Tab-separated table of all heavy atoms in Angstrom:
chain	number	residue	atom	x	y	z
I	1378	ALA	N	89.826	100.720	96.176
I	1378	ALA	CA	89.234	99.565	96.863
I	1378	ALA	C	88.790	98.514	95.845
I	1378	ALA	O	88.758	97.315	96.149
I	1378	ALA	CB	88.058	99.996	97.729
I	1379	SER	N	88.470	98.949	94.637
I	1379	SER	CA	88.069	98.044	93.557
I	1379	SER	C	89.275	97.490	92.806
I	1379	SER	O	89.108	96.765	91.816
I	1379	SER	CB	87.151	98.783	92.582
I	1379	SER	OG	86.049	99.377	93.256
I	1380	GLY	N	90.483	97.835	93.264
I	1380	GLY	CA	91.697	97.379	92.597
I	1380	GLY	C	92.034	98.160	91.351
I	1380	GLY	O	92.820	97.712	90.515
I	1381	LEU	N	91.460	99.355	91.217
I	1381	LEU	CA	91.584	100.129	89.983
I	1381	LEU	C	92.699	101.176	90.125
I	1381	LEU	O	92.666	102.005	91.042
I	1381	LEU	CB	90.249	100.822	89.696
I	1381	LEU	CG	89.980	101.368	88.302
I	1381	LEU	CD1	90.111	100.282	87.256
I	1381	LEU	CD2	88.578	101.978	88.262
I	1382	PRO	N	93.696	101.157	89.252
I	1382	PRO	CA	94.770	102.150	89.328
I	1382	PRO	C	94.283	103.529	88.925
I	1382	PRO	O	93.342	103.673	88.139
I	1382	PRO	CB	95.814	101.621	88.341
I	1382	PRO	CG	95.027	100.809	87.361
I	1382	PRO	CD	93.901	100.196	88.150
I	1383	ILE	N	94.946	104.559	89.468
I	1383	ILE	CA	94.545	105.942	89.262
I	1383	ILE	C	95.484	106.624	88.284
I	1383	ILE	O	96.703	106.444	88.349
I	1383	ILE	CB	94.577	106.727	90.596
I	1383	ILE	CG1	93.801	105.992	91.698
I	1383	ILE	CG2	94.067	108.145	90.400
I	1383	ILE	CD1	92.339	105.850	91.437
I	1384	ALA	N	94.915	107.440	87.404
I	1384	ALA	CA	95.686	108.371	86.582
I	1384	ALA	C	95.163	109.769	86.891
I	1384	ALA	O	93.969	110.029	86.765
I	1384	ALA	CB	95.527	108.065	85.094
I	1385	ALA	N	96.068	110.655	87.328
I	1385	ALA	CA	95.622	111.980	87.746
I	1385	ALA	C	96.750	112.982	87.614
I	1385	ALA	O	97.920	112.628	87.419
I	1385	ALA	CB	95.128	111.939	89.196
I	1386	PHE	N	96.389	114.257	87.732
I	1386	PHE	CA	97.390	115.311	87.779
I	1386	PHE	C	98.008	115.346	89.184
I	1386	PHE	O	97.359	114.961	90.161
I	1386	PHE	CB	96.751	116.666	87.465
I	1386	PHE	CG	96.239	116.796	86.052
I	1386	PHE	CD1	94.880	116.956	85.806
I	1386	PHE	CD2	97.118	116.776	84.983
I	1386	PHE	CE1	94.398	117.092	84.510
I	1386	PHE	CE2	96.649	116.902	83.675
I	1386	PHE	CZ	95.293	117.056	83.438
I	1387	PRO	N	99.240	115.830	89.322
I	1387	PRO	CA	99.873	115.899	90.639
I	1387	PRO	C	99.418	117.139	91.418
I	1387	PRO	O	100.145	118.127	91.566
I	1387	PRO	CB	101.368	115.970	90.293
I	1387	PRO	CG	101.410	116.607	88.950
I	1387	PRO	CD	100.179	116.146	88.221
I	1388	VAL	N	98.180	117.075	91.917
I	1388	VAL	CA	97.567	118.201	92.617
I	1388	VAL	C	96.958	117.711	93.919
I	1388	VAL	O	96.912	116.505	94.198
I	1388	VAL	CB	96.476	118.868	91.733
I	1388	VAL	CG1	97.085	119.487	90.482
I	1388	VAL	CG2	95.393	117.852	91.348
I	1389	THR	N	96.489	118.658	94.747
I	1389	THR	CA	95.835	118.313	96.013
I	1389	THR	C	94.749	117.279	95.782
I	1389	THR	O	93.954	117.377	94.857
I	1389	THR	CB	95.228	119.576	96.655
I	1389	THR	OG1	96.292	120.436	97.086
I	1389	THR	CG2	94.377	119.222	97.855
I	1390	GLY	N	94.685	116.323	96.662
I	1390	GLY	CA	93.786	115.176	96.517
I	1390	GLY	C	94.593	113.991	96.055
I	1390	GLY	O	95.012	113.169	96.883
I	1391	PRO	N	94.884	113.883	94.763
I	1391	PRO	CA	95.708	112.771	94.282
I	1391	PRO	C	97.079	112.669	94.955
I	1391	PRO	O	97.523	111.575	95.301
I	1391	PRO	CB	95.833	113.059	92.782
I	1391	PRO	CG	94.573	113.775	92.445
I	1391	PRO	CD	94.281	114.638	93.645
I	1392	ILE	N	97.764	113.806	95.175
I	1392	ILE	CA	99.103	113.707	95.764
I	1392	ILE	C	99.049	113.251	97.214
I	1392	ILE	O	100.055	112.772	97.757
I	1392	ILE	CB	99.898	115.033	95.658
I	1392	ILE	CG1	99.221	116.147	96.467
I	1392	ILE	CG2	100.084	115.440	94.212
I	1392	ILE	CD1	100.040	117.431	96.525
I	1393	ASP	N	97.888	113.381	97.847
I	1393	ASP	CA	97.745	112.959	99.239
I	1393	ASP	C	97.268	111.519	99.362
I	1393	ASP	O	97.452	110.897	100.411
I	1393	ASP	CB	96.742	113.878	99.955
I	1393	ASP	CG	97.179	115.324	99.951
I	1393	ASP	OD1	98.003	115.699	100.789
I	1393	ASP	OD2	96.688	116.085	99.094
I	1394	ILE	N	96.629	110.996	98.332
I	1394	ILE	CA	95.996	109.678	98.402
I	1394	ILE	C	96.749	108.632	97.588
I	1394	ILE	O	96.891	107.481	98.015
I	1394	ILE	CB	94.534	109.777	97.902
I	1394	ILE	CG1	93.737	110.753	98.769
I	1394	ILE	CG2	93.876	108.401	97.882
I	1394	ILE	CD1	92.381	111.100	98.205
I	1395	VAL	N	97.228	109.013	96.420
I	1395	VAL	CA	97.841	108.066	95.491
I	1395	VAL	C	99.325	107.880	95.815
I	1395	VAL	O	100.059	108.856	95.981
I	1395	VAL	CB	97.672	108.550	94.045
I	1395	VAL	CG1	98.381	107.616	93.072
I	1395	VAL	CG2	96.190	108.662	93.695
I	1396	SER	N	99.755	106.632	95.901
I	1396	SER	CA	101.175	106.308	96.029
I	1396	SER	C	101.717	106.109	94.612
I	1396	SER	O	101.389	105.109	93.958
I	1396	SER	CB	101.371	105.034	96.848
I	1396	SER	OG	100.879	105.207	98.161
I	1397	PRO	N	102.535	107.049	94.110
I	1397	PRO	CA	102.999	106.964	92.718
I	1397	PRO	C	103.727	105.654	92.434
I	1397	PRO	O	104.586	105.218	93.195
I	1397	PRO	CB	103.949	108.161	92.600
I	1397	PRO	CG	103.465	109.128	93.631
I	1397	PRO	CD	103.005	108.281	94.771
I	1398	GLY	N	103.337	105.010	91.342
I	1398	GLY	CA	103.942	103.746	90.953
I	1398	GLY	C	103.391	102.544	91.685
I	1398	GLY	O	103.741	101.406	91.363
I	1399	VAL	N	102.522	102.785	92.661
I	1399	VAL	CA	101.909	101.683	93.417
I	1399	VAL	C	100.404	101.658	93.195
I	1399	VAL	O	99.841	100.672	92.723
I	1399	VAL	CB	102.227	101.792	94.926
I	1399	VAL	CG1	101.552	100.654	95.699
I	1399	VAL	CG2	103.723	101.780	95.167
I	1400	THR	N	99.731	102.756	93.546
I	1400	THR	CA	98.276	102.808	93.368
I	1400	THR	C	97.874	103.667	92.170
I	1400	THR	O	96.695	103.720	91.825
I	1400	THR	CB	97.588	103.352	94.632
I	1400	THR	OG1	98.085	104.671	94.909
I	1400	THR	CG2	97.861	102.442	95.815
I	1401	GLY	N	98.825	104.342	91.573
I	1401	GLY	CA	98.489	105.160	90.416
I	1401	GLY	C	99.697	105.895	89.873
I	1401	GLY	O	100.808	105.769	90.389
I	1402	ILE	N	99.444	106.677	88.843
I	1402	ILE	CA	100.475	107.490	88.196
I	1402	ILE	C	99.982	108.936	88.171
I	1402	ILE	O	98.871	109.209	87.711
I	1402	ILE	CB	100.768	107.021	86.762
I	1402	ILE	CG1	101.163	105.538	86.748
I	1402	ILE	CG2	101.846	107.881	86.135
I	1402	ILE	CD1	102.468	105.221	87.448
I	1403	LEU	N	100.828	109.837	88.670
I	1403	LEU	CA	100.514	111.265	88.654
I	1403	LEU	C	101.433	111.943	87.652
I	1403	LEU	O	102.654	111.821	87.746
I	1403	LEU	CB	100.697	111.869	90.051
I	1403	LEU	CG	99.935	111.185	91.195
I	1403	LEU	CD1	100.208	111.907	92.512
I	1403	LEU	CD2	98.440	111.139	90.900
I	1404	ASP	N	100.827	112.664	86.711
I	1404	ASP	CA	101.636	113.254	85.637
I	1404	ASP	C	100.835	114.393	85.013
I	1404	ASP	O	99.601	114.307	84.893
I	1404	ASP	CB	101.947	112.193	84.569
I	1404	ASP	CG	103.106	112.574	83.664
I	1404	ASP	OD1	103.172	113.743	83.235
I	1404	ASP	OD2	103.945	111.704	83.361
I	1405	GLU	N	101.525	115.460	84.617
I	1405	GLU	CA	100.856	116.538	83.894
I	1405	GLU	C	100.398	116.071	82.515
I	1405	GLU	O	99.509	116.673	81.912
I	1405	GLU	CB	101.781	117.749	83.772
I	1405	GLU	CG	101.948	118.533	85.065
I	1405	GLU	CD	100.648	119.172	85.532
I	1405	GLU	OE1	99.767	119.434	84.684
I	1405	GLU	OE2	100.513	119.402	86.750
I	1406	ASP	N	100.985	115.008	82.004
I	1406	ASP	CA	100.525	114.367	80.777
I	1406	ASP	C	99.561	113.251	81.192
I	1406	ASP	O	99.972	112.143	81.543
I	1406	ASP	CB	101.705	113.797	80.001
I	1406	ASP	CG	101.296	113.235	78.637
I	1406	ASP	OD1	100.149	112.775	78.497
I	1406	ASP	OD2	102.137	113.230	77.724
I	1407	LEU	N	98.263	113.549	81.164
I	1407	LEU	CA	97.270	112.625	81.694
I	1407	LEU	C	97.175	111.345	80.862
I	1407	LEU	O	96.913	110.266	81.408
I	1407	LEU	CB	95.903	113.323	81.767
I	1407	LEU	CG	94.853	112.712	82.690
I	1407	LEU	CD1	95.372	112.569	84.114
I	1407	LEU	CD2	93.579	113.555	82.671
I	1408	ALA	N	97.395	111.440	79.550
I	1408	ALA	CA	97.372	110.240	78.705
I	1408	ALA	C	98.522	109.311	79.069
I	1408	ALA	O	98.348	108.088	79.157
I	1408	ALA	CB	97.442	110.629	77.233
I	1409	ARG	N	99.700	109.890	79.292
I	1409	ARG	CA	100.849	109.073	79.689
I	1409	ARG	C	100.588	108.406	81.036
I	1409	ARG	O	100.918	107.238	81.244
I	1409	ARG	CB	102.097	109.946	79.752
I	1409	ARG	CG	103.377	109.185	80.096
I	1409	ARG	CD	104.584	110.037	79.811
I	1409	ARG	NE	104.574	111.285	80.569
I	1409	ARG	CZ	105.343	112.339	80.281
I	1409	ARG	NH1	106.153	112.302	79.247
I	1409	ARG	NH2	105.287	113.439	81.023
I	1410	ALA	N	99.964	109.139	81.958
I	1410	ALA	CA	99.632	108.570	83.267
I	1410	ALA	C	98.649	107.411	83.117
I	1410	ALA	O	98.800	106.362	83.766
I	1410	ALA	CB	99.040	109.647	84.167
I	1411	ALA	N	97.646	107.586	82.267
I	1411	ALA	CA	96.634	106.542	82.092
I	1411	ALA	C	97.232	105.270	81.506
I	1411	ALA	O	96.910	104.158	81.954
I	1411	ALA	CB	95.510	107.064	81.194
I	1412	MET	N	98.100	105.405	80.537
I	1412	MET	CA	98.708	104.226	79.923
I	1412	MET	C	99.661	103.524	80.887
I	1412	MET	O	99.679	102.294	80.984
I	1412	MET	CB	99.439	104.622	78.641
I	1412	MET	CG	98.519	105.136	77.527
I	1412	MET	SD	97.223	103.945	77.072
I	1412	MET	CE	98.221	102.590	76.424
I	1413	ALA	N	100.431	104.293	81.637
I	1413	ALA	CA	101.368	103.693	82.590
I	1413	ALA	C	100.641	103.013	83.738
I	1413	ALA	O	101.098	101.990	84.270
I	1413	ALA	CB	102.314	104.762	83.127
I	1414	ALA	N	99.489	103.556	84.127
I	1414	ALA	CA	98.747	102.991	85.256
I	1414	ALA	C	98.227	101.591	84.964
I	1414	ALA	O	98.010	100.793	85.886
I	1414	ALA	CB	97.586	103.916	85.618
I	1415	MET	N	98.033	101.261	83.698
I	1415	MET	CA	97.481	99.954	83.351
I	1415	MET	C	98.374	98.799	83.808
I	1415	MET	O	97.897	97.682	84.008
I	1415	MET	CB	97.270	99.857	81.830
I	1415	MET	CG	96.182	100.768	81.312
I	1415	MET	SD	95.880	100.561	79.538
I	1415	MET	CE	95.179	98.924	79.493
I	1416	GLY	N	99.650	99.067	84.010
I	1416	GLY	CA	100.561	97.995	84.390
I	1416	GLY	C	100.701	97.778	85.883
I	1416	GLY	O	101.493	96.913	86.304
I	1417	LEU	N	99.975	98.511	86.699
I	1417	LEU	CA	100.124	98.407	88.150
I	1417	LEU	C	99.396	97.193	88.717
I	1417	LEU	O	98.418	96.696	88.135
I	1417	LEU	CB	99.621	99.689	88.820
I	1417	LEU	CG	100.385	100.966	88.426
I	1417	LEU	CD1	99.800	102.174	89.146
I	1417	LEU	CD2	101.873	100.836	88.726
I	1418	ASP	N	99.869	96.722	89.863
I	1418	ASP	CA	99.349	95.522	90.526
I	1418	ASP	C	98.048	95.840	91.255
I	1418	ASP	O	98.032	96.577	92.249
I	1418	ASP	CB	100.397	95.007	91.517
I	1418	ASP	CG	100.009	93.683	92.162
I	1418	ASP	OD1	98.798	93.381	92.234
I	1418	ASP	OD2	100.918	92.967	92.614
I	1419	ARG	N	96.945	95.266	90.782
I	1419	ARG	CA	95.633	95.584	91.358
I	1419	ARG	C	95.491	95.063	92.791
I	1419	ARG	O	94.751	95.643	93.596
I	1419	ARG	CB	94.527	95.040	90.451
I	1419	ARG	CG	94.510	95.729	89.090
I	1419	ARG	CD	93.449	95.157	88.165
I	1419	ARG	NE	92.113	95.557	88.552
I	1419	ARG	CZ	91.285	96.243	87.772
I	1419	ARG	NH1	91.680	96.645	86.581
I	1419	ARG	NH2	90.077	96.542	88.177
């Protein structure tokens, strides 16, 4: 709601709420997810 992209593991909760590549990045490599999420449209 604050326009903030999500970086998370692909587990229950994030996989139900986050649209990959739109509202966040889900990846077992959390650092890679965090860096990729910075480019998403707030």
